[in-house]
Amino acid sequence: MSAGAAPLMPARTGGGRVRIGFLGGSHSHAGGKVDVVLANSDYELVGMVEDAPEVRARYESKGVRMMALDDMLGDPSIDAIAVESPVRDHIRHASMVVDAGKHVHIEKPPATDLESLRSVLDAAQRKKLAVQMGYMWRHHPGINRMLEAARQGWLGKVYLVQATIHKWLPDSQRAAWAEFRGGQMFELGGHVVDPLIRLMGRPDRVTPFLKNHGDKGDNLADNTIAVFEFPGALGLVIGATLHFTSRYRSFIIHGTKGTATLRPIEPPQLVMDLTEAAGPYAKGAQKVELPIYKRYKDEFVELAAAVRGEKPITVTPHEDLMVQEALISASGM
């Protein structure tokens, strides 16, 4: 199990709504996050920095004001900024936000290396600023019930964790994903590498298999597997851009006393199958009732609480760095 010191409680002066800006809006998750912020009365969306005319028009139609980068970074009334720019710019933009003394939400993957992320996290710690990663399933009720069951020992000794995260990727997006050697694994694999590493800790070894099987005439790693070796256990992450649907995404934890299966991940369907009753679960296979889950909603609730100094971001900087290290290894980068 992973461990680490809790992040420092960020300070905030004044009450009222959290004033937030978006640095970029081109990432595929940006639209959903803007909608969540607009619907949350704890936030005031101040504006967005975005250069692409077609992207600007999309958000302007929702009433989002466009701003210059210097104006956003230099506005002392803005509490936090969500980085939703292209992947190559994530850590550079996050560093600018922290340098400006603002809390930051960084879209996934946060960086293409380990040291640049470490530098941003260290700077944020010194300034008592919250840094939140954009791994969208950190507040997923099914995944968190599974992690609880494993950590409490209700599944016995965990010996295998399996995760599958497929996506059908249009040809128009392949060049952007091929910019990074990890391809599908780097772009999407982090969503399941994240709970794997937070459960099992730093792996002894990670072996990636990054293949191009799409017959598209490019070099995108579109059919990928990473094997994680832990003391007494294995992890397996599988992801391809060639699958016709996302319905078969899954996260499975196998232990000597039971198996927890989340399939599909969205909408969540969780089954616990135990050799004996443990915790709130009976012996045998049972479907677990879960609360209604909406992407991004709870992470921005958490961010608002961190900005106000009510409680820190749940995942520690130590865990964030372990996840990043594992993702870089799984992506052959």
Side-chain angles (χ1 to χ4, degrees):
M1 307 299 175
S2 58
L8 296 174
M9 291 293 286
R12 181 177 190 264
T13 58
R17 301 166 76 188
V18 172
R19 287 172 56 83
I20 189 170
F22 275 70
L23 206 174
S26 62
H27 194 278
S28 60
H29 292 174
K33 292 179 180 180
V34 166
D35 290 343
V36 162
V37 167
L38 288 172
N40 187 331
S41 61
D42 284 336
Y43 283 97
E44 178 184 350
L45 177 50
V46 179
M48 175 181 287
V49 176
E50 177 57 61
D51 294 331
E54 68 279 7
V55 179
R56 290 168 65 99
R58 186 190 317 155
Y59 292 103
E60 286 175 328
S61 69
K62 297 182 179 184
V64 178
R65 179 170 70 101
M66 293 297 133
M67 300 179 65
L69 175 59
D70 288 345
D71 290 341
M72 181 174 288
L73 294 176
D75 186 341
S77 75
I78 294 177
D79 301 300
I81 294 177
V83 172
E84 294 293 329
S85 50
V87 171
R88 74 179 80 89
D89 296 324
H90 285 176
I91 200 63
R92 179 173 66 88
H93 285 160
S95 180
M96 295 167 68
V97 173
V98 171
D99 286 347
K102 303 183 187 304
H103 309 281
V104 62
H105 169 92
I106 313 176
E107 185 54 81
K108 62 81 191 169
T112 59
D113 67 338
L114 181 64
E115 289 310 312
S116 61
L117 180 60
R118 188 192 308 276
S119 177
V120 166
L121 289 171
D122 286 348
Q125 284 275 82
R126 289 193 298 270
K127 295 186 175 187
K128 298 186 179 181
L129 295 170
V131 179
Q132 183 187 58
M133 302 299 151
Y135 291 120
M136 63 189 178
W137 292 329
R138 285 187 169 179
H139 296 274
H140 189 294
I143 287 178
N144 286 337
R145 291 285 288 269
M146 299 171 77
L147 296 181
E148 177 191 41
R151 288 166 175 158
Q152 293 294 329
W154 300 336
L155 301 177
K157 180 186 181 297
V158 173
Y159 61 86
L160 176 64
V161 180
Q162 297 170 264
T164 302
I165 182 161
H166 294 321
K167 177 184 176 70
W168 175 254
L169 189 70
D171 290 353
S172 61
Q173 295 181 26
R174 289 179 64 91
W177 286 37
E179 183 176 340
F180 307 102
R181 183 169 186 265
Q184 158 78 4
M185 182 64 67
F186 182 63
E187 280 282 349
L188 278 186
H191 286 307
V192 288
V193 171
D194 174 58
L196 167 66
I197 297 302
R198 288 191 290 113
L199 174 64
M200 303 300 295
R202 179 177 285 110
D204 294 331
R205 183 166 64 172
V206 181
T207 305
F209 299 86
L210 307 170
K211 304 299 181 181
N212 175 275
H213 292 156
D215 300 324
K216 301 290 184 178
D218 58 24
N219 64 346
L220 171 64
D222 54 19
N223 198 14
T224 66
I225 295 175
V227 179
F228 299 77
E229 298 178 53
F230 304 96
L234 291 172
L236 182 66
V237 172
I238 302 170
T241 69
L242 310 174
H243 207 271
F244 68 96
T245 178
S246 299
R247 289 198 304 272
Y248 297 101
R249 291 178 176 181
S250 61
F251 193 75
I252 307 172
I253 303 175
H254 299 271
T256 54
K257 294 183 178 180
T259 296
T261 302
L262 184 66
R263 185 171 53 215
I265 295 177
E266 295 174 313
Q269 295 186 29
L270 174 60
V271 173
M272 291 282 184
D273 192 355
L274 305 181
T275 61
E276 58 187 53
Y281 306 110
K283 177 181 178 179
Q286 61 223 269
K287 183 177 179 180
V288 179
E289 294 298 323
L290 298 172
I292 295 173
Y293 167 70
K294 179 177 175 60
R295 276 188 185 183
Y296 320 128
K297 180 179 179 181
D298 289 338
E299 64 190 284
F300 279 92
V301 170
E302 177 189 68
L303 181 61
V307 169
R308 289 169 170 159
E310 296 166 359
K311 61 181 180 179
I313 298 297
T314 306
V315 178
T316 69
H318 173 73
E319 291 173 305
D320 279 331
L321 286 171
M322 278 202 305
V323 171
Q324 178 70 6
E325 181 181 39
L327 178 61
I328 292 299
S329 297
S331 302
M333 295 164 58

